[in-house]
Amino acid sequence: MTYATGHPVRAVGGRLILDFVNTADWTASGTIAHEKIESTDDLAVWLRALGLGEARPSTSLPELIRARFLFRQALTTGRISGDLGDLLTRSRAPCAVSGGDLHRQASRRPLLDLFAASFLSIGADARETARLKICPGRDCGWLFIDETRNARRKWCAMETCGNRAKATRHYDQHRKTRSAPA
């Protein structure tokens, strides 16, 4: 699936809240380099791609985008701002779902409740927070849980940021070799 801009929807974070935060590319300073969800249509595409087509956006798109920033800030700093604390207090994330298909029941919840539950599950598990990483790719800044055995995953996805970094490194080495005095 692709957004209206033609960019493919990619879920590489390993957790719902990380994939939501990753709907933007981030600079090293934490500002948005490229927005993926520019409209409610883009949000609907993203939700369908993640199997959440029945989730209810219980708030406006600008409020969801603001919440995304607050979640990312908390995940990268380990501190919950007052605004995010208010959002988490209002969410019904811990409420139980009963009867029927668990995924279907959960996917019908308001989006902010689903995001809050995912966020809280990462924070509640020290192993998750210890393996939470930020992709160092240029203007990427995507978050992911490193689930490799040796915890040495570096890139959000090797086929994008990892390959770009390797190609840049190769180009730089080749350029240095060619410009070195003989």
Side-chain angles (χ1 to χ4, degrees), residues 96-146:
V97 182
S98 63
D101 179 1
L102 179 63
H103 175 73
R104 186 176 175 138
Q105 289 289 322
S107 69
R108 289 182 173 173
R109 300 291 302 270
L111 275 179
L112 285 177
D113 290 359
L114 295 173
F115 297 151
S118 180
F119 171 79
L120 291 170
S121 72
I122 291 171
D125 187 343
R127 295 168 300 181
E128 297 258 309
T129 55
R131 288 187 172 234
L132 178 64
K133 294 186 178 179
I134 301 174
C135 180
R138 184 171 185 271
D139 288 344
C140 177
W142 280 17
L143 302 178
F144 60 92
I145 300 290
D146 181 353

Side-chain angles (χ1 to χ4, degrees), residues 10-90:
R10 293 182 21 224
V12 301
R15 305 295 178 272
L16 177 62
I17 190 60
L18 301 181
D19 289 329
F20 176 57
V21 167
N22 294 344
T23 59
D25 296 330
W26 301 85
T27 65
S29 65
T31 60
I32 294 176
H34 182 259
E35 178 64 64
K36 303 275 197 291
I37 298 182
E38 296 178 342
S39 68
T40 54
D41 290 341
D42 287 332
L43 178 62
V45 167
W46 181 78
L47 289 169
R48 278 194 309 276
L50 270 71
L52 296 170
E54 295 184 43
R56 298 187 323 258
S58 55
T59 187
S60 69
L61 186 59
E63 289 170 330
L64 278 175
I65 299 302
R66 172 76 176 139
R68 180 185 64 192
F69 173 79
L70 295 172
F71 281 121
R72 185 179 194 280
Q73 188 177 44
L75 288 162
T76 57
T77 65
R79 298 181 186 267
I80 296 176
S81 69
D83 289 344
L84 183 57
D86 292 344
L87 186 147
L88 293 171
T89 301
R90 287 191 317 267

